[in-house]
Amino acid sequence: MKAENNEHIEKALEAFLPEGAVVSYRLFGNGHINDTYMVECAEGYPRFVLQRINGEVFQNLEALNNNVELVTEFLREKIINSGGDPDRETLNLYPAKDGQKHYTDERGQCWRLTLYIENSVCYDQVEKPEDFYLSGKGFGQFQRMLADFPAEKLKETIPDFHDTPKRLEALKRAVEADPWGYAGRVQKELEFVAEREAEAHVAMDMLRRGELPLRVTHNDTKLNNIMFDAETGKVLCVVDLDTIMPGLSIFDFGDSIRFGANTGAEDEPDVKKVSLSLELFECYVRGFLEGCGGSLTKTEIQMLPMGAKLMTLECGIRFLTDYLEGSVYFKTAYPEHNLVRARSQFALVADMERKWDEMVKIVEKYA
Ligand code: GN1
Ligand code: MG
C-alpha cells in the first residue's frame, strides 16, 4: 500500500476540523496496515492522530467502525466508573462535522481522528523487562475489562483472523498459484511449516470441542499497540482496536510473546540474533496472569506456551504468503521484507521448541 497524497489527507482533516485548525501533519508510528499521521494544531486545539483505514485489509468497514465505536464507548464508561481518566486510558474518537465518528471520502476510503494521548510512549522493542511485565498486565486487564462486553454486538472485522489451519491453506494456495515465481526460493521455509501442520490445528480443534472458551480479545497485542505514561511508566492505554473480535485468550498472550519476547526484531535479517528470552517470557506470564485476575481456565493457562508458538508460526505463515503474493497486504520497506520477517518468525518458533520444557515450567510456576 502506498502512502496517501496530501490532497486526500487534507480533505479528510477538513471533514473533522474547522479551517485554520491544522498546522501540520506527518507520518506516525510503525503499523503495517493503516496509514497513520500525527496532526499538530493551532492554539486551543489538542493534537490528533489521523488514520486512513486500509480498506483492502478491512473489507467490511462498517463492521470495523461499529466495533471500534462500541468498544471505545464501553471502555470509556468503565474507566469513568472506576475513577480513571477516560481521555488517557482509552482511545477517543473525534466526531466529524457531520457527527459521525469516521469519514468516508469520495473514493470510499475511510478515515478516523483520535485524540493524541500526550506524554505517552510506546516501544518497538522491550527496553526494560519491567515494561514487558506491565504490558502483560495491561493486555490481561484489557481482556478482563471486555469480559462483560456483549460479544454478539461485535462483527468479525477479518473473518478467521487467527484460524491457523486456514492461514496454512492460504499459504498452500499462494504456493500453487505462485504469481511471481518465488515459490522455488522458499522450499526450506515451506518444509518447516509442513513439519508443523498437525500442530497448527491444536487451538482451533480445542475451541470446536469446547475446551477453550471464546472471549472478546484484541488479537494484535504487539508491544507497540500499548501506550505507557512517559512520566510514571505505567500502562495507559491499549490501542489498535481494529481486530477486536471474539477470539482465544491464548491468541492475545501468544502474539505478545511473539513480538516482545524475541531477542531480535520481527524483521531481523540475522536469524542468529532471534531467540526467545525466557526472562521476558516469564515477565509476561506473570503480568498477563495478574492482569487476567483469575479469569482464565486451567486449560487456557496450560495452553499459553502453545499460544505463543502458534501465533509465531501463524505470523510467519502470513508473512510468507504475502511474500509469495507480491507483498500486497503488509507494508514493506524493501522487496524481500516479508521473507525476512517470515524467516525470523520461524527461527523464533524453532527456539521455542528448544526451550519448550522451560516455557511449560514457567507457566506452571505462576498458574
Ligand atoms: C499487523 O497493524 P499492525 O502493524 O499493528 C497485523 C497483525 C500482525 C502484525 C505483524 C490487521 O499489525 O495481525 O500480527 O502486523 N494486523 C492486521 O507485525 O493484519
Ligand atoms: Mg499497531
Side-chain angles (χ1 to χ4, degrees):
M1 289 296 309
K2 274 216 230 75
E4 276 286 0
N5 73 33
N6 293 356
E7 195 190 317
H8 292 138
I9 299 170
E10 280 152 31
K11 235 172 144 210
L13 285 168
E14 259 171 50
F16 291 94
L17 297 166
E19 219 187 301
V22 174
V23 171
S24 65
Y25 54 85
R26 61 174 189 278
L27 271 172
F28 185 61
N30 286 324
H32 296 338
I33 307 292
N34 297 328
D35 293 341
T36 307
Y37 306 89
M38 162 70 91
V39 183
E40 305 278 348
C41 287
E43 241 192 89
Y45 289 94
R47 292 201 281 180
F48 294 98
V49 174
L50 175 75
Q51 280 193 306
R52 185 185 64 94
I53 302 161
N54 184 328
E56 271 152 58
V57 166
F58 296 105
Q59 303 222 341
N60 188 346
L61 290 166
E62 213 185 298
L64 181 137
N65 289 325
N66 165 79
N67 286 6
V68 174
E69 286 164 29
L70 288 177
V71 167
T72 48
E73 275 160 29
F74 180 87
L75 290 173
R76 192 176 171 82
E77 206 154 294
K78 277 227 157 156
I79 292 163
I80 292 171
N81 290 339
S82 64
D85 180 351
D87 292 338
R88 288 173 71 69
E89 294 171 27
T90 179
L91 284 182
N92 283 277
L93 293 162
Y94 193 82
K97 288 174 182 163
D98 67 3
Q100 296 216 72
K101 296 275 183 70
H102 54 88
Y103 159 71
T104 308
D105 68 21
E106 68 276 2
R107 302 162 307 154
Q109 301 288 321
C110 190
W111 303 78
R112 68 177 158 226
L113 194 70
T114 51
L115 292 180
Y116 173 68
I117 304 169
E118 294 293 341
N119 292 315
S120 68
V121 279
C122 79
Y123 302 106
D124 283 304
Q125 216 153 0
V126 174
E127 288 172 11
K128 291 196 300 280
E130 169 75 6
D131 290 341
F132 198 46
Y133 155 77
L134 290 174
S135 77
K137 201 168 157 181
F139 279 123
Q141 275 167 348
F142 185 79
Q143 196 173 102
R144 194 160 50 140
M145 271 208 278
L146 290 175
D148 58 344
F149 183 89
E152 69 283 356
K153 287 196 180 159
L154 283 180
K155 312 232 164 77
E156 255 193 316
T157 54
I158 301 180
D160 306 318
F161 193 58
H162 285 312
D163 187 324
T164 313
K166 288 207 173 138
R167 296 294 191 176
L168 194 54
E169 291 311 313
L171 173 62
K172 288 182 187 167
R173 284 197 300 277
V175 173
E176 191 68 31
D178 198 18
W180 301 91
Y182 295 164
R185 305 179 191 174
V186 300
Q187 287 310 306
K188 254 178 55 193
E189 288 71 25
L190 292 173
E191 267 165 44
F192 184 91
V193 173
E195 284 161 13
R196 286 151 187 86
E197 175 153 5
E199 209 162 40
H201 289 254
V202 170
M204 293 312 285
D205 288 349
M206 290 179 79
L207 170 66
R208 265 187 291 273
R209 291 197 300 263
E211 293 164 16
L212 289 172
L214 207 54
R215 298 181 184 277
V216 175
T217 48
H218 180 279
N219 296 305
D220 186 10
T221 51
K222 295 203 284 199
L223 182 64
N224 62 15
N225 281 336
I226 194 162
M227 312 292 296
F228 294 82
D229 188 302
E231 267 156 45
T232 65
K234 289 202 179 114
V235 162
L236 266 182
C237 177
V238 170
V239 300
D240 202 344
L241 309 177
D242 299 330
T243 51
I244 290 187
M245 287 179 277
L248 299 181
S249 56
I250 65 168
F251 296 160
D252 280 3
F253 174 83
D255 199 54
S256 288
I257 298 299
R258 173 190 79 73
F259 189 85
N262 186 350
T263 55
E266 182 184 64
D267 60 352
E268 172 57 57
D270 179 1
V271 291
K272 288 196 291 298
K273 291 187 183 155
V274 171
S275 67
L276 176 81
S277 159
L278 285 170
E279 184 200 357
L280 292 180
F281 180 78
E282 179 157 356
C283 286
Y284 198 90
V285 168
R286 190 160 58 85
F288 190 73
L289 289 178
E290 263 179 50
C292 288
S295 61
L296 298 187
T297 67
K298 237 176 154 172
T299 312
E300 282 179 294
I301 296 174
Q302 248 170 22
M303 288 297 287
L304 292 177
M306 186 52 84
K309 183 170 165 182
L310 281 179
M311 287 300 98
T312 311
L313 179 68
E314 180 189 281
C315 200
I317 289 172
R318 294 175 62 199
F319 287 142
L320 189 59
T321 307
D322 197 32
Y323 172 68
L324 292 173
E325 291 179 338
S327 296
V328 289
Y329 186 96
F330 295 105
K331 288 186 181 172
T332 49
Y334 53 93
E336 308 276 288
H337 204 167
N338 273 317
L339 179 57
V340 166
R341 286 172 176 152
R343 287 183 174 146
S344 146
Q345 299 304 293
F346 295 150
L348 185 58
V349 170
D351 196 52
M352 287 179 183
E353 290 171 349
R354 285 188 284 273
K355 292 173 177 160
W356 194 254
D357 294 345
E358 284 143 290
M359 290 168 74
V360 170
K361 264 191 222 133
I362 289 170
V363 169
E364 280 168 357
K365 183 169 145 192
Y366 292 94

mmCIF file of all heavy atoms in Angstrom, residues 30-34 57-58 158 161-162 167 219-220 222 224-225 240 242-243 255 258-259 266 315 318-319 329-330 341, ligand 1:
data_model
loop_
_atom_site.group_PDB
_atom_site.id
_atom_site.type_symbol
_atom_site.label_atom_id
_atom_site.label_comp_id
_atom_site.label_asym_id
_atom_site.label_seq_id
_atom_site.Cartn_x
_atom_site.Cartn_y
_atom_site.Cartn_z
ATOM 1 N N ASN A 30 4.496 2.781 13.582
ATOM 2 C CA ASN A 30 5.103 1.709 12.794
ATOM 3 C C ASN A 30 4.122 0.621 12.404
ATOM 4 O O ASN A 30 4.521 -0.529 12.222
ATOM 5 C CB ASN A 30 6.252 1.075 13.581
ATOM 6 C CG ASN A 30 7.466 1.988 13.618
ATOM 7 O OD1 ASN A 30 7.755 2.679 12.653
ATOM 8 N ND2 ASN A 30 8.137 2.014 14.752
ATOM 9 N N GLY A 31 2.843 0.943 12.288
ATOM 10 C CA GLY A 31 1.858 -0.080 11.924
ATOM 11 C C GLY A 31 2.102 -0.592 10.511
ATOM 12 O O GLY A 31 2.621 0.137 9.654
ATOM 13 N N HIS A 32 1.721 -1.853 10.279
ATOM 14 C CA HIS A 32 1.937 -2.462 8.965
ATOM 15 C C HIS A 32 0.720 -2.355 8.056
ATOM 16 O O HIS A 32 0.755 -2.825 6.926
ATOM 17 C CB HIS A 32 2.238 -3.960 9.114
ATOM 18 C CG HIS A 32 3.515 -4.268 9.841
ATOM 19 N ND1 HIS A 32 4.534 -3.370 9.952
ATOM 20 C CD2 HIS A 32 3.932 -5.395 10.469
ATOM 21 C CE1 HIS A 32 5.527 -3.922 10.628
ATOM 22 N NE2 HIS A 32 5.185 -5.149 10.959
ATOM 23 N N ILE A 33 -0.387 -1.797 8.555
ATOM 24 C CA ILE A 33 -1.635 -1.885 7.792
ATOM 25 C C ILE A 33 -2.217 -0.509 7.436
ATOM 26 O O ILE A 33 -2.346 -0.177 6.262
ATOM 27 C CB ILE A 33 -2.694 -2.702 8.585
ATOM 28 C CG1 ILE A 33 -2.131 -4.068 9.023
ATOM 29 C CG2 ILE A 33 -3.987 -2.844 7.780
ATOM 30 C CD1 ILE A 33 -1.849 -5.055 7.913
ATOM 31 N N ASN A 34 -2.599 0.273 8.423
ATOM 32 C CA ASN A 34 -3.233 1.569 8.155
ATOM 33 C C ASN A 34 -2.183 2.660 7.925
ATOM 34 O O ASN A 34 -1.018 2.486 8.275
ATOM 35 C CB ASN A 34 -4.118 1.974 9.338
ATOM 36 C CG ASN A 34 -5.270 1.002 9.546
ATOM 37 O OD1 ASN A 34 -5.780 0.431 8.585
ATOM 38 N ND2 ASN A 34 -5.671 0.805 10.791
ATOM 39 N N VAL A 57 -7.494 -4.537 3.468
ATOM 40 C CA VAL A 57 -7.358 -5.479 4.578
ATOM 41 C C VAL A 57 -8.698 -5.610 5.321
ATOM 42 O O VAL A 57 -9.130 -6.709 5.649
ATOM 43 C CB VAL A 57 -6.244 -4.991 5.528
ATOM 44 C CG1 VAL A 57 -6.298 -5.719 6.856
ATOM 45 C CG2 VAL A 57 -4.878 -5.175 4.867
ATOM 46 N N PHE A 58 -9.315 -4.461 5.583
ATOM 47 C CA PHE A 58 -10.596 -4.466 6.288
ATOM 48 C C PHE A 58 -11.704 -4.245 5.267
ATOM 49 O O PHE A 58 -12.061 -3.109 4.952
ATOM 50 C CB PHE A 58 -10.621 -3.369 7.356
ATOM 51 C CG PHE A 58 -9.608 -3.601 8.437
ATOM 52 C CD1 PHE A 58 -8.448 -2.865 8.487
ATOM 53 C CD2 PHE A 58 -9.811 -4.584 9.408
ATOM 54 C CE1 PHE A 58 -7.490 -3.089 9.479
ATOM 55 C CE2 PHE A 58 -8.866 -4.813 10.394
ATOM 56 C CZ PHE A 58 -7.704 -4.063 10.433
ATOM 57 N N ILE A 158 -12.102 -9.231 10.374
ATOM 58 C CA ILE A 158 -11.383 -10.078 9.414
ATOM 59 C C ILE A 158 -11.727 -11.521 9.782
ATOM 60 O O ILE A 158 -11.263 -12.023 10.796
ATOM 61 C CB ILE A 158 -9.857 -9.850 9.467
ATOM 62 C CG1 ILE A 158 -9.527 -8.380 9.153
ATOM 63 C CG2 ILE A 158 -9.150 -10.792 8.481
ATOM 64 C CD1 ILE A 158 -8.055 -8.049 9.172
ATOM 65 N N PHE A 161 -9.431 -14.727 11.521
ATOM 66 C CA PHE A 161 -8.168 -13.990 11.663
ATOM 67 C C PHE A 161 -7.050 -14.858 12.235
ATOM 68 O O PHE A 161 -5.950 -14.889 11.707
ATOM 69 C CB PHE A 161 -8.398 -12.761 12.545
ATOM 70 C CG PHE A 161 -7.269 -11.780 12.515
ATOM 71 C CD1 PHE A 161 -6.860 -11.221 11.310
ATOM 72 C CD2 PHE A 161 -6.613 -11.406 13.674
ATOM 73 C CE1 PHE A 161 -5.815 -10.296 11.271
ATOM 74 C CE2 PHE A 161 -5.575 -10.486 13.644
ATOM 75 C CZ PHE A 161 -5.174 -9.943 12.443
ATOM 76 N N HIS A 162 -7.330 -15.553 13.325
ATOM 77 C CA HIS A 162 -6.297 -16.419 13.923
ATOM 78 C C HIS A 162 -6.626 -17.899 13.757
ATOM 79 O O HIS A 162 -6.301 -18.716 14.614
ATOM 80 C CB HIS A 162 -6.071 -16.070 15.392
ATOM 81 C CG HIS A 162 -5.286 -14.809 15.586
ATOM 82 N ND1 HIS A 162 -4.112 -14.551 14.905
ATOM 83 C CD2 HIS A 162 -5.496 -13.725 16.382
ATOM 84 C CE1 HIS A 162 -3.644 -13.363 15.271
ATOM 85 N NE2 HIS A 162 -4.470 -12.841 16.158
ATOM 86 N N ARG A 167 -4.982 -20.177 7.630
ATOM 87 C CA ARG A 167 -3.816 -19.409 7.174
ATOM 88 C C ARG A 167 -2.871 -20.321 6.392
ATOM 89 O O ARG A 167 -2.242 -19.896 5.425
ATOM 90 C CB ARG A 167 -3.082 -18.791 8.365
ATOM 91 C CG ARG A 167 -3.900 -17.754 9.135
ATOM 92 C CD ARG A 167 -4.167 -16.536 8.287
ATOM 93 N NE ARG A 167 -4.717 -15.430 9.061
ATOM 94 C CZ ARG A 167 -4.959 -14.239 8.542
ATOM 95 N NH1 ARG A 167 -4.726 -13.987 7.260
ATOM 96 N NH2 ARG A 167 -5.467 -13.277 9.294
ATOM 97 N N ASN A 219 -6.443 -9.445 19.745
ATOM 98 C CA ASN A 219 -5.923 -10.159 18.556
ATOM 99 C C ASN A 219 -4.705 -9.554 17.875
ATOM 100 O O ASN A 219 -4.253 -10.079 16.856
ATOM 101 C CB ASN A 219 -7.043 -10.365 17.515
ATOM 102 C CG ASN A 219 -8.136 -11.258 18.064
ATOM 103 O OD1 ASN A 219 -7.861 -12.368 18.506
ATOM 104 N ND2 ASN A 219 -9.367 -10.774 18.081
ATOM 105 N N ASP A 220 -4.191 -8.468 18.395
ATOM 106 C CA ASP A 220 -2.998 -7.862 17.784
ATOM 107 C C ASP A 220 -2.191 -7.196 18.898
ATOM 108 O O ASP A 220 -2.006 -5.984 18.916
ATOM 109 C CB ASP A 220 -3.439 -6.850 16.715
ATOM 110 C CG ASP A 220 -2.284 -6.274 15.923
ATOM 111 O OD1 ASP A 220 -1.150 -6.778 16.044
ATOM 112 O OD2 ASP A 220 -2.520 -5.308 15.170
ATOM 113 N N LYS A 222 0.769 -6.644 19.941
ATOM 114 C CA LYS A 222 2.177 -6.265 19.849
ATOM 115 C C LYS A 222 2.487 -5.212 20.907
ATOM 116 O O LYS A 222 1.636 -4.381 21.238
ATOM 117 C CB LYS A 222 2.463 -5.630 18.483
ATOM 118 C CG LYS A 222 2.306 -6.554 17.332
ATOM 119 C CD LYS A 222 3.098 -6.077 16.137
ATOM 120 C CE LYS A 222 2.476 -4.924 15.395
ATOM 121 N NZ LYS A 222 3.008 -4.766 14.037
ATOM 122 N N ASN A 224 3.991 -2.574 20.585
ATOM 123 C CA ASN A 224 3.762 -1.196 20.139
ATOM 124 C C ASN A 224 2.273 -0.852 19.990
ATOM 125 O O ASN A 224 1.929 0.201 19.481
ATOM 126 C CB ASN A 224 4.568 -0.860 18.868
ATOM 127 C CG ASN A 224 4.187 -1.714 17.677
ATOM 128 O OD1 ASN A 224 3.143 -2.374 17.677
ATOM 129 N ND2 ASN A 224 5.027 -1.715 16.654
ATOM 130 N N ASN A 225 1.413 -1.743 20.453
ATOM 131 C CA ASN A 225 -0.020 -1.437 20.494
ATOM 132 C C ASN A 225 -0.498 -1.120 21.912
ATOM 133 O O ASN A 225 -1.693 -1.181 22.208
ATOM 134 C CB ASN A 225 -0.840 -2.584 19.897
ATOM 135 C CG ASN A 225 -0.827 -2.543 18.361
ATOM 136 O OD1 ASN A 225 -0.615 -1.496 17.769
ATOM 137 N ND2 ASN A 225 -1.051 -3.680 17.743
ATOM 138 N N ASP A 240 -4.987 0.379 18.701
ATOM 139 C CA ASP A 240 -5.145 -0.502 17.539
ATOM 140 C C ASP A 240 -6.285 -1.507 17.777
ATOM 141 O O ASP A 240 -6.062 -2.709 17.911
ATOM 142 C CB ASP A 240 -3.827 -1.234 17.246
ATOM 143 C CG ASP A 240 -3.767 -1.703 15.803
ATOM 144 O OD1 ASP A 240 -4.834 -1.734 15.151
ATOM 145 O OD2 ASP A 240 -2.681 -2.049 15.326
ATOM 146 N N ASP A 242 -8.722 -2.386 15.867
ATOM 147 C CA ASP A 242 -9.396 -2.832 14.641
ATOM 148 C C ASP A 242 -9.705 -4.322 14.603
ATOM 149 O O ASP A 242 -10.590 -4.747 13.866
ATOM 150 C CB ASP A 242 -8.537 -2.503 13.411
ATOM 151 C CG ASP A 242 -8.298 -1.016 13.276
ATOM 152 O OD1 ASP A 242 -9.180 -0.246 13.704
ATOM 153 O OD2 ASP A 242 -7.241 -0.630 12.757
ATOM 154 N N THR A 243 -8.951 -5.102 15.339
ATOM 155 C CA THR A 243 -9.165 -6.552 15.259
ATOM 156 C C THR A 243 -9.798 -7.107 16.532
ATOM 157 O O THR A 243 -9.728 -8.308 16.773
ATOM 158 C CB THR A 243 -7.851 -7.297 14.959
ATOM 159 O OG1 THR A 243 -6.861 -6.854 15.891
ATOM 160 C CG2 THR A 243 -7.371 -7.022 13.541
ATOM 161 N N ASP A 255 0.572 -13.582 20.855
ATOM 162 C CA ASP A 255 1.076 -12.567 19.938
ATOM 163 C C ASP A 255 2.024 -11.597 20.648
ATOM 164 O O ASP A 255 2.969 -11.093 20.056
ATOM 165 C CB ASP A 255 -0.076 -11.808 19.266
ATOM 166 C CG ASP A 255 0.405 -11.098 18.009
ATOM 167 O OD1 ASP A 255 1.002 -11.769 17.138
ATOM 168 O OD2 ASP A 255 0.231 -9.877 17.916
ATOM 169 N N ARG A 258 5.364 -13.464 20.853
ATOM 170 C CA ARG A 258 5.951 -13.471 19.515
ATOM 171 C C ARG A 258 6.745 -12.189 19.243
ATOM 172 O O ARG A 258 7.854 -12.213 18.741
ATOM 173 C CB ARG A 258 4.826 -13.597 18.466
ATOM 174 C CG ARG A 258 5.255 -13.443 17.030
ATOM 175 C CD ARG A 258 4.058 -13.333 16.095
ATOM 176 N NE ARG A 258 3.461 -11.997 16.081
ATOM 177 C CZ ARG A 258 3.982 -10.914 15.510
ATOM 178 N NH1 ARG A 258 5.139 -10.996 14.889
ATOM 179 N NH2 ARG A 258 3.377 -9.746 15.554
ATOM 180 N N PHE A 259 6.151 -11.090 19.604
ATOM 181 C CA PHE A 259 6.753 -9.802 19.253
ATOM 182 C C PHE A 259 7.744 -9.321 20.323
ATOM 183 O O PHE A 259 8.849 -8.898 20.018
ATOM 184 C CB PHE A 259 5.645 -8.768 19.059
ATOM 185 C CG PHE A 259 6.124 -7.464 18.479
ATOM 186 C CD1 PHE A 259 6.242 -7.319 17.107
ATOM 187 C CD2 PHE A 259 6.444 -6.383 19.297
ATOM 188 C CE1 PHE A 259 6.671 -6.122 16.553
ATOM 189 C CE2 PHE A 259 6.883 -5.184 18.760
ATOM 190 C CZ PHE A 259 6.992 -5.050 17.389
ATOM 191 N N GLU A 266 11.177 -8.267 14.810
ATOM 192 C CA GLU A 266 10.277 -9.087 13.991
ATOM 193 C C GLU A 266 10.853 -9.290 12.587
ATOM 194 O O GLU A 266 10.607 -10.297 11.940
ATOM 195 C CB GLU A 266 8.940 -8.348 13.902
ATOM 196 C CG GLU A 266 7.854 -9.047 13.152
ATOM 197 C CD GLU A 266 6.610 -8.167 13.043
ATOM 198 O OE1 GLU A 266 6.665 -7.097 12.398
ATOM 199 O OE2 GLU A 266 5.569 -8.541 13.616
ATOM 200 N N CYS A 315 2.075 -16.140 12.165
ATOM 201 C CA CYS A 315 2.523 -14.854 11.626
ATOM 202 C C CYS A 315 3.573 -15.101 10.537
ATOM 203 O O CYS A 315 3.565 -14.445 9.488
ATOM 204 C CB CYS A 315 3.071 -13.993 12.762
ATOM 205 S SG CYS A 315 3.111 -12.267 12.355
ATOM 206 N N ARG A 318 1.795 -16.066 7.485
ATOM 207 C CA ARG A 318 1.158 -14.904 6.842
ATOM 208 C C ARG A 318 2.184 -14.059 6.081
ATOM 209 O O ARG A 318 1.920 -13.586 4.977
ATOM 210 C CB ARG A 318 0.445 -14.046 7.894
ATOM 211 C CG ARG A 318 -0.746 -14.757 8.531
ATOM 212 C CD ARG A 318 -1.342 -13.920 9.649
ATOM 213 N NE ARG A 318 -1.851 -12.646 9.172
ATOM 214 C CZ ARG A 318 -2.095 -11.594 9.952
ATOM 215 N NH1 ARG A 318 -1.871 -11.688 11.257
ATOM 216 N NH2 ARG A 318 -2.571 -10.478 9.448
ATOM 217 N N PHE A 319 3.355 -13.839 6.693
ATOM 218 C CA PHE A 319 4.401 -13.065 6.008
ATOM 219 C C PHE A 319 4.845 -13.796 4.735
ATOM 220 O O PHE A 319 5.040 -13.180 3.688
ATOM 221 C CB PHE A 319 5.614 -12.859 6.929
ATOM 222 C CG PHE A 319 5.387 -11.865 8.053
ATOM 223 C CD1 PHE A 319 5.924 -12.074 9.325
ATOM 224 C CD2 PHE A 319 4.671 -10.689 7.844
ATOM 225 C CE1 PHE A 319 5.745 -11.161 10.356
ATOM 226 C CE2 PHE A 319 4.482 -9.764 8.866
ATOM 227 C CZ PHE A 319 5.025 -10.008 10.128
ATOM 228 N N TYR A 329 -0.262 -7.116 1.239
ATOM 229 C CA TYR A 329 -1.004 -6.970 2.490
ATOM 230 C C TYR A 329 -0.228 -6.114 3.499
ATOM 231 O O TYR A 329 -0.687 -5.045 3.884
ATOM 232 C CB TYR A 329 -1.295 -8.374 3.060
ATOM 233 C CG TYR A 329 -2.180 -8.384 4.286
ATOM 234 C CD1 TYR A 329 -3.549 -8.600 4.185
ATOM 235 C CD2 TYR A 329 -1.636 -8.156 5.551
ATOM 236 C CE1 TYR A 329 -4.357 -8.601 5.313
ATOM 237 C CE2 TYR A 329 -2.446 -8.154 6.684
ATOM 238 C CZ TYR A 329 -3.799 -8.376 6.567
ATOM 239 O OH TYR A 329 -4.589 -8.363 7.683
ATOM 240 N N PHE A 330 0.927 -6.593 3.915
ATOM 241 C CA PHE A 330 1.719 -5.850 4.906
ATOM 242 C C PHE A 330 2.549 -4.781 4.197
ATOM 243 O O PHE A 330 3.053 -4.999 3.099
ATOM 244 C CB PHE A 330 2.687 -6.799 5.627
ATOM 245 C CG PHE A 330 2.004 -7.846 6.458
ATOM 246 C CD1 PHE A 330 1.936 -9.162 6.029
ATOM 247 C CD2 PHE A 330 1.423 -7.527 7.679
ATOM 248 C CE1 PHE A 330 1.307 -10.140 6.797
ATOM 249 C CE2 PHE A 330 0.798 -8.493 8.453
ATOM 250 C CZ PHE A 330 0.736 -9.807 8.007
ATOM 251 N N ARG A 341 10.958 -11.331 7.365
ATOM 252 C CA ARG A 341 10.069 -11.438 8.537
ATOM 253 C C ARG A 341 9.658 -12.883 8.786
ATOM 254 O O ARG A 341 9.657 -13.353 9.927
ATOM 255 C CB ARG A 341 8.810 -10.610 8.303
ATOM 256 C CG ARG A 341 8.994 -9.103 8.396
ATOM 257 C CD ARG A 341 7.701 -8.434 7.944
ATOM 258 N NE ARG A 341 7.713 -6.996 8.081
ATOM 259 C CZ ARG A 341 7.001 -6.183 7.297
ATOM 260 N NH1 ARG A 341 6.237 -6.674 6.322
ATOM 261 N NH2 ARG A 341 7.040 -4.879 7.485
HETATM 262 C C1 GN1 B 1 -0.269 -6.083 11.644
HETATM 263 O O1 GN1 B 1 -1.378 -3.151 12.188
HETATM 264 P P1 GN1 B 1 -0.276 -3.757 12.981
HETATM 265 O O2 GN1 B 1 1.057 -3.422 12.416
HETATM 266 O O3 GN1 B 1 -0.435 -3.472 14.460
HETATM 267 C C2 GN1 B 1 -1.324 -7.176 11.535
HETATM 268 C C3 GN1 B 1 -1.148 -8.169 12.662
HETATM 269 C C4 GN1 B 1 0.250 -8.770 12.602
HETATM 270 C C5 GN1 B 1 1.262 -7.657 12.656
HETATM 271 C C6 GN1 B 1 2.664 -8.184 12.477
HETATM 272 C C7 GN1 B 1 -4.890 -6.262 10.765
HETATM 273 O O4 GN1 B 1 -0.474 -5.367 12.833
HETATM 274 O O5 GN1 B 1 -2.098 -9.195 12.560
HETATM 275 O O6 GN1 B 1 0.464 -9.662 13.668
HETATM 276 O O7 GN1 B 1 1.016 -6.672 11.631
HETATM 277 N N1 GN1 B 1 -2.664 -6.584 11.567
HETATM 278 C C8 GN1 B 1 -3.597 -6.966 10.687
HETATM 279 O O8 GN1 B 1 3.570 -7.231 12.911
HETATM 280 O O9 GN1 B 1 -3.429 -7.852 9.861
#
